[in-house]
Amino acid sequence: MPFYKDYIYPYFVDILGDPVPIRKVRQQIIPLAQGKVLEIGVGSGANFVHYDSTKVDKLYALEPNPGMIRLAERQQRKTKLNIEFLDLPGERIALEDGSIDTVVSTFTLCTIPSIVDAIQGLIRVLKPKGKLIFFELGLSPDSEVQHWQKRLEPFHHWLFQGLYLTRDIPALLVQGGFQMEQMGAGYVAQFPKSLSYCWWGTAILQSGVRHS
Ligand SMILES: C[S@@+](CC[C@H](N)C(=O)[O-])C[C@H]1O[C@@H](n2cnc3c(N)ncnc32)[C@H](O)[C@@H]1O
């Protein structure tokens, strides 16, 4: 349904995706970005205002949905950031190997269709001492909440255009070649528990991880 995806869903994400508890985490982690930054699935640009523009030389803002890019361009005007939009999926990052200091993903690894390929792409573009900043939704440790996450996933997968409620993102990051540097976790925001279990923090490359 291209009309829903391009015109309704972007406004849903814009309105629902930044309540105060989520914004507080964004304020805590996004200023850690520095140098050449790649943000995947920037959506309506909710993170843009939280970057420290004195530390960010350039922000590659990857987003495949043109409706999202239209909203993100409005946010861009509120910042001094040097932003280049890349209208590509995160599984096909058109940047050179080892060229990026910081990769940012907030609520994108929980949405992106091919997360394993996306993680390999992030590892490929990161410099050896590069950092991933993440804030993602996913599988609760509570079995009762997991039960509801499994039941509700198909509906939310449609409503939020690909959102998964049952991914264990930290485990996938570690399997893919990242090593956690710092991580917080818990139910964030006033949404039902099935929709609000999150992890946030930073990760670096495991030593010896291969650039393909
Ligand atoms: C839940 S929204 C999060 C938006 C934003 N990062 C935020 O924190 O508010 C998920 C985003 O992932 C994007 N997305 C979906 N498939 C993608 C893909 N294959 N590659 C990159 N981004 C994708 C969507 O268009 C959407 O903007």
Side-chain angles (χ1 to χ4, degrees):
M1 268 199 289
F3 182 79
Y4 176 76
K5 186 173 184 178
D6 292 352
Y7 292 94
I8 311 285
Y9 164 64
Y11 285 95
F12 257 170
V13 170
D14 193 43
I15 292 163
L16 294 177
D18 200 32
V20 171
I22 287 182
R23 197 174 314 150
K24 281 189 176 159
V25 177
R26 295 186 196 271
Q27 282 166 350
Q28 185 189 323
I29 59 173
I30 300 300
L32 301 174
Q34 57 86 30
K36 274 193 189 173
V37 179
L38 165 68
E39 181 177 338
I40 58 164
V42 295
S44 60
N47 290 329
F48 289 176
V49 293
H50 302 302
Y51 284 101
D52 179 346
S53 61
T54 64
K55 285 165 51 185
V56 174
D57 302 326
K58 174 145 192 173
L59 172 61
Y60 292 101
L62 182 146
E63 174 53 60
N65 183 324
M68 290 289 191
I69 293 182
R70 280 193 292 276
L71 296 180
E73 282 170 342
R74 291 190 202 164
Q75 287 298 317
Q76 178 184 17
R77 290 181 212 122
K78 297 181 186 168
T79 77
K80 291 182 180 156
L81 294 165
N82 174 11
I83 299 179
E84 179 177 335
F85 286 95
L86 304 175
D87 57 349
L88 289 169
E91 296 91 335
R92 287 193 286 120
I93 303 168
L95 293 172
E96 285 184 18
D97 296 4
S99 61
I100 295 294
D101 296 287
T102 313
V103 171
V104 175
S105 173
T106 63
F107 305 108
T108 297
L109 291 175
C110 55
T111 302
I112 203 160
S114 184
I115 185 168
V116 172
D117 291 341
I119 290 171
Q120 288 315 306
L122 302 186
I123 286 175
R124 181 185 66 76
V125 298
L126 267 177
K127 291 181 182 175
K129 289 196 180 328
K131 200 183 282 280
L132 166 69
I133 297 173
F134 62 93
F135 183 17
E136 298 290 343
L137 179 71
L139 189 66
S140 159
D142 304 318
S143 56
E144 199 177 329
V145 179
Q146 284 184 10
H147 168 77
W148 282 104
Q149 289 183 310
K150 285 173 193 155
R151 288 193 72 169
L152 293 170
E153 188 165 68
F155 174 66
H156 288 93
H157 195 74
W158 171 79
L159 189 67
F160 292 100
Q161 293 295 295
L163 176 68
Y164 289 90
L165 302 179
T166 57
R167 281 182 173 167
D168 183 341
I169 307 280
L172 289 162
L173 287 172
V174 170
Q175 280 162 25
F178 281 101
Q179 168 185 330
M180 291 302 156
E181 204 180 31
Q182 45 173 302
M183 187 173 85
Y187 297 101
V188 182
Q190 310 88 326
F191 305 129
K193 284 186 166 180
S194 53
L195 277 175
S196 61
Y197 191 77
C198 295
W199 306 270
W200 59 92
T202 58
I204 54 176
L205 299 179
Q206 288 169 14
S207 61
V209 74
R210 272 200 328 221
H211 286 266
S212 50

